[in-house]
Amino acid sequence: MIAEKGRLNRIRTRLLFTGPTLFAFTTVMILPFVFGIYLTFTNWDGISTELTFVAFENYVSVFQDTEFWKSFYLTLKFVGATVVGINVVAFGLAYLLTSGLKGQSVFRAGFFVPNLIGGIVLGFIWQFIFSNVLVYLGKTYDIGLFRASWLSTPDKALWALIIVTVWQYAGYMMVIYVAGLMNVPKDILEAASIDGASGWTRLRRMVLPMIVPSFIVCIFLSLQRGFLVYDVNFALTKGGPFKSTEMVAMHVYEKAFRSHDYGVGQAEAFILFLLVTAVTLVQVYFSKKMEVEA
Amino acid sequence: MKAAGDKASVSWAPLTLLTAGLFLFIVPFILLFVNSFKANKHITSSPLSLPTDWNLSNYTSAFAKMNYMDAFVNSVIITACSVLLLALFSSMTAHYFVRHQTRFNQYTFFLMLSSMIIPFQALMIPLVKIYGSIGMLDSKWSLIYMYIGFGSAMAVFIYHGFVKGIPAELEEAAMMDGCTRTQTFFRIVFPVLTPTTTTIAILNVIWIWNDFLLPSLVLVEPEERTLPLSTFYFFGTYTVDYGPLMAGLMLTILPVIVVYLFAQRYIIQGVMQGSIK
């Protein structure tokens, strides 16, 4: 172990090396987190400087806030659809892109583009597509599905949001799957095909078990991003029509900053935190089990 | 893919699929580009047609109304300062944690790791409350400070993994030769970490450059706005006139696309490395 002579020197080194990071980390993450838990027991309106302690009143309000539970349920539906969609598309693309085609890097680069651009901008671009381009197509070529804007019909607006989210993240997850697939040893696959294993058998029996770690990472990331979706949601649908696409993250924002119900908003945010933590732990638990079996 | 098909069909089927897929991925941007040159009337009546004349007037009007130059400079300052400081501080901390595995350091490292699970939504309200009450909202420097705080956990984590791979003998030798602790870090360790620093920089640039929610809470004054913020206000205020809006969106994504064209290889590699860790 390397250490300086003298206590003072050691303290100085420690402060220099860890001081800035730990100070920023503590004041930006830990302090607000702890203070946030305290806020859930007070009724702050955003303006007054005094906080009144209200015990569990905010949590009672959360349970009575039907809009919150509605958006909670919507988020579950949304997360279910996007996790499946993102991973199926991403894995499909990655599988095709590691099969030894020419021009792979061009394809990879192309599919990744949406991830370089912020959710707000992506949301606005798709807003234009759903409410102008597709409606134009629907009217000109008489396609019933597109005749009215998807963004003004509750059921379809949710699907629009799902499609845009899958489009947005599939390229990112594809990169992770490509990394996983490139680590699958080629000679083993060749040996298997010489022994007569078909493409499908090789995929199911050899490739899939070997890239379980990639699946774990991708499902983890798409779950987390799904639960916390905000930018695209905000720019594409603003939660409408009739709150049919207001995801939980957006509801928290609206509750706190628009209705000035900071205490309840923070309590809802805390419940969101508990949910994300629970889902993550469950997922890590099950994927660890799978990894052992595979 | 079909099972064991004959050789000829295997080569073109994936190619067709991929080309169709790529088209779907890129078509929104093509539509945006094409319409950014058209007049409002033309956009709504035929959104798929090419512009009759490639008129730049949408661009000039969006450029002025968005305060594009200011927003661009703000975004550059905020992203560059945050990423540079984040990489510097995090690499030093990770290095210290690896070389001094005391119980305190291990617990701190573990606390940082577990903090990555906290969603931003659970922090934003107290953040506004705390930093508002001490008058630290509405400045890009506060925002940079916050990015260092929010980004440090992941950066320390990624650096930690790579510092472990550097033999301690290398540093001991340097210190025998009379380098101080700090000199050793900057002359020996930090240069060795360059690939990791590239990965950290790429991941954080993509995040900070595009971030919307945090700047929208912290930056109140119009002069301080970043590019995503100014795009948002521009879109919110002028929703009738599609021409300049399309041009405005194009102007927002243009810098990213230009950088991507040059650094595409490194960016995808960086994302790969960052996600495997």
Side-chain angles (χ1 to χ4, degrees):
Chain A
M1 195 103 318
I2 319 159
E4 294 70 12
K5 284 178 205 113
R7 199 181 168 78
L8 208 66
N9 271 336
R10 277 207 295 275
I11 294 177
R12 207 165 57 197
T13 316
R14 168 181 279 275
L15 278 182
L16 178 70
F17 275 72
T18 65
T21 311
L22 292 186
F23 189 77
F25 171 71
T26 314
T27 51
V28 174
M29 299 264 319
I30 303 303
L31 189 69
F33 184 70
V34 175
F35 185 63
I37 297 176
Y38 169 69
L39 270 185
T40 63
F41 298 108
T42 67
N43 65 343
W44 184 45
D45 58 4
I47 304 151
S48 75
T49 45
E50 273 165 49
L51 301 169
T52 322
F53 190 75
V54 295
F56 286 94
E57 225 169 78
N58 289 327
Y59 287 96
V60 175
S61 306
V62 173
F63 282 98
Q64 290 164 343
D65 182 2
T66 48
E67 307 258 288
F68 175 72
W69 296 106
K70 210 181 118 193
S71 71
F72 196 91
Y73 173 66
L74 271 174
T75 310
L76 290 181
K77 274 210 304 204
F78 170 81
V79 169
T82 50
V83 167
V84 173
I86 290 171
N87 287 286
V88 167
V89 174
F91 180 77
L93 292 177
Y95 193 66
L96 292 176
L97 281 177
T98 44
S99 57
L101 281 176
K102 277 184 183 159
Q104 289 175 340
S105 56
V106 177
F107 281 112
R108 270 179 221 173
F111 290 125
F112 190 77
V113 168
N115 293 285
L116 297 162
I117 295 160
I120 283 287
V121 175
L122 297 181
F124 284 140
I125 297 176
W126 278 94
Q127 194 197 1
F128 170 71
I129 293 175
F130 276 115
S131 52
N132 284 66
V133 180
L134 289 183
V135 174
Y136 167 82
L137 284 174
K139 284 186 175 152
T140 318
Y141 299 101
D142 203 34
I143 310 167
L145 190 60
F146 298 138
R147 218 171 293 142
S149 169
W150 279 29
L151 301 181
S152 51
T153 2
D155 258 3
K156 287 182 187 154
L158 186 66
W159 279 105
L161 186 60
I162 290 168
I163 289 170
V164 176
T165 310
V166 171
W167 172 83
Q168 182 186 6
Y169 289 127
Y172 195 93
M173 307 304 163
M174 170 201 75
V175 167
I176 301 174
Y177 283 123
V178 165
L181 286 168
M182 288 198 314
N183 284 334
V184 174
K186 286 273 175 301
D187 45 340
I188 299 184
L189 292 179
E190 267 165 35
S193 55
I194 291 168
D195 287 346
S198 70
W200 174 244
T201 315
R202 271 176 295 157
L203 174 65
R204 216 167 47 97
R205 295 280 176 80
M206 308 182 69
V207 178
L208 287 184
M210 276 193 266
I211 61 158
V212 167
S214 305
F215 273 101
I216 294 172
V217 173
C218 288
I219 292 174
F220 170 75
L221 286 176
S222 40
L223 271 173
Q224 209 184 26
R225 287 173 189 202
F227 276 115
L228 304 176
V229 65
Y230 178 77
D231 291 13
V232 169
N233 191 189
F234 188 47
L236 184 71
T237 64
K238 274 227 165 71
F242 318 114
K243 304 217 169 198
S244 60
T245 59
E246 191 178 273
M247 297 299 135
V248 111
M250 192 167 174
H251 183 85
V252 169
Y253 183 92
E254 297 286 315
K255 197 81 193 171
F257 296 106
R258 296 238 193 282
S259 326
H260 298 289
D261 236 339
Y262 288 81
V264 181
Q266 183 58 28
E268 289 175 353
F270 189 65
I271 292 176
L272 179 65
F273 159 73
L274 291 179
L275 172 77
V276 173
T277 310
V279 169
T280 308
L281 292 180
V282 168
Q283 201 233 339
V284 169
Y285 173 76
F286 278 106
S287 41
K288 279 273 175 287
K289 263 182 127 176
M290 257 181 79
E291 216 168 355
V292 176
E293 279 168 25
Chain B
M1 270 175 86
K2 284 268 163 63
D6 56 320
K7 285 259 155 60
S9 76
V10 167
S11 58
W12 67 260
L15 199 67
T16 327
L17 263 173
L18 283 171
T19 315
L22 188 64
F23 179 73
L24 282 179
F25 266 75
I26 300 299
V27 85
F29 300 109
I30 300 173
L31 285 169
L32 179 68
F33 177 73
V34 166
N35 284 296
S36 67
F37 294 96
K38 301 199 295 206
N40 196 35
K41 226 172 44 190
H42 199 170
I43 294 174
T44 37
S45 66
S46 54
L48 296 181
S49 67
L50 288 175
T52 40
D53 55 338
W54 296 81
N55 198 330
L56 283 175
S57 67
N58 286 335
Y59 281 88
T60 47
S61 104
F63 192 85
K65 282 183 191 157
M66 277 176 73
N67 260 335
Y68 187 82
M69 233 28 236
D70 288 347
F72 181 79
V73 170
N74 283 336
S75 273
V76 170
I77 294 175
I78 290 168
T79 310
C81 292
S82 311
V83 172
L84 286 175
L85 294 173
L86 190 59
L88 177 69
F89 294 151
S90 304
S91 59
M92 292 175 85
T93 307
H95 177 252
Y96 194 86
F97 280 178
V98 172
R99 295 289 179 243
H100 299 261
Q101 299 201 348
T102 59
R103 191 161 289 176
F104 176 79
N105 286 348
Q106 280 171 337
Y107 282 141
T108 316
F109 183 57
F110 183 73
L111 182 70
M112 291 186 97
L113 281 189
S114 18
S115 78
M116 285 200 270
I117 212 170
I118 305 174
F120 179 70
Q121 277 79 5
L123 299 172
M124 65 182 179
I125 298 165
L127 203 69
V128 168
K129 168 81 177 142
I130 295 171
Y131 289 91
S133 68
I134 55 171
M136 259 183 79
L137 290 186
D138 208 18
S139 133
K140 35 171 134 25
W141 306 109
S142 310
L143 189 61
I144 291 168
Y145 174 70
M146 288 177 194
Y147 279 130
I148 296 171
F150 284 125
S152 58
M154 192 193 64
V156 168
F157 174 57
I158 296 180
Y159 272 124
H160 196 273
F162 283 93
V163 173
K164 273 195 288 191
I166 304 175
E169 290 80 17
L170 204 67
E171 291 162 51
E172 276 158 10
M175 290 185 77
M176 296 283 194
D177 291 344
C179 274
T180 63
R181 192 59 210 266
T182 322
Q183 284 171 332
T184 312
F185 178 80
F186 284 106
R187 295 204 186 149
I188 313 279
V189 181
F190 197 68
V192 176
L193 286 173
T194 308
T196 318
T197 304
T198 317
T199 302
I200 303 263
I202 287 166
L203 293 175
N204 286 293
V205 165
I206 295 178
W207 162 48
I208 295 171
W209 182 268
N210 290 316
D211 192 25
F212 172 75
L213 191 49
L214 182 60
S216 79
L217 293 170
V218 175
L219 304 175
V220 189
E221 294 294 320
E223 308 84 73
E224 296 272 313
R225 275 175 196 162
T226 59
L227 218 39
L229 273 185
S230 113
T231 316
F232 170 73
Y233 284 105
F234 180 56
F235 216 94
T237 336
Y238 302 90
T239 28
V240 239
D241 207 358
Y242 265 119
L245 289 182
M246 298 290 117
L249 292 177
M250 272 306 292
L251 283 172
T252 313
I253 67 177
L254 209 63
V256 179
I257 299 295
V258 170
V259 172
Y260 190 53
L261 285 178
F262 289 104
Q264 172 247 108
R265 245 163 167 268
Y266 300 99
I267 292 173
I268 295 200
Q269 239 165 39
V271 169
M272 251 185 208
Q273 272 147 6
S275 59
I276 294 170
K277 270 279 122 192

